């Protein structure tokens, strides 16, 4: 039977303690430049977000313009709302009247 399990001593690491100094404050000019840079980054992000929203709006608007350029019969076939169909009819009639007025003005 064993009487002691710690018959040998474990090596102890010898470390030297080096104190690292971290400044808790920055000089005034560094704080001012950091603040200016933060404001510039915020403005840049705001501009990018507005640009992205505008691009989405333009894509959506162009998509609807492409749909509205279709023939009223085609719009009915694909199940477009009645307001979109009537808008297409009104645009076609307006274009036809414009062409008629132009041709009468030219004397054709």
């Amino acid at each position: 039977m064993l009487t002691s399990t710690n018959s040998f001593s474990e090596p102890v690491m010898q470390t030297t303690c080096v104190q690292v100094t971290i400044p808790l404050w920055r000089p005034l000019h560094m704080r001012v430049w950091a603040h200016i840079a933060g404001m510039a980054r915020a403005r840049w992000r705001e501009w990018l977000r507005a640009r992205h929203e505008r691009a989405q709006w333009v894509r959506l608007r162009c998509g609807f313009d492409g749909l509205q350029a279709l023939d009223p019969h085609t719009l009915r076939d694909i199940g477009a709302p009645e307001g979109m169909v009537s808008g297409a009819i009104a645009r076609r009639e307006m274009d036809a009247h414009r062409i008629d007025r132009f041709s009468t003005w030219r004397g054709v």
Side-chain angles (χ1 to χ4, degrees), residues 35-69:
H35 183 69
I36 291 171
M39 288 186 342
R41 278 192 301 273
R43 291 285 182 149
W44 177 252
R45 282 190 211 109
E46 181 181 326
W47 182 81
L48 284 177
R49 184 182 50 78
R51 181 176 171 217
H52 179 70
E53 288 175 0
R54 169 87 175 140
Q56 283 181 333
W57 181 82
V58 166
R59 268 194 303 267
L60 181 67
R61 184 69 188 151
C62 289
F64 280 131
D65 285 346
L67 277 177
Q68 291 173 350

Side-chain angles (χ1 to χ4, degrees), residues 1 3-4 9 11-12 18-19 23-24 26 33-34 42 45 63-64 69 76 79 82 87-88 90 92 94:
M1 178 164 175
T3 56
S4 172
S9 65
V12 178
V18 177
Q19 185 176 6
L24 299 177
R26 292 181 293 170
W33 281 114
R45 282 190 211 109
F64 280 131
R76 279 196 189 104
E82 196 57 38
R92 295 226 178 228
M94 195 167 45

Side-chain angles (χ1 to χ4, degrees), residues 87-100:
I89 292 171
R91 262 191 315 284
R92 295 226 178 228
E93 288 177 358
M94 195 167 45
D95 289 342
H97 288 301
R98 189 177 304 132
I99 291 171
D100 287 343

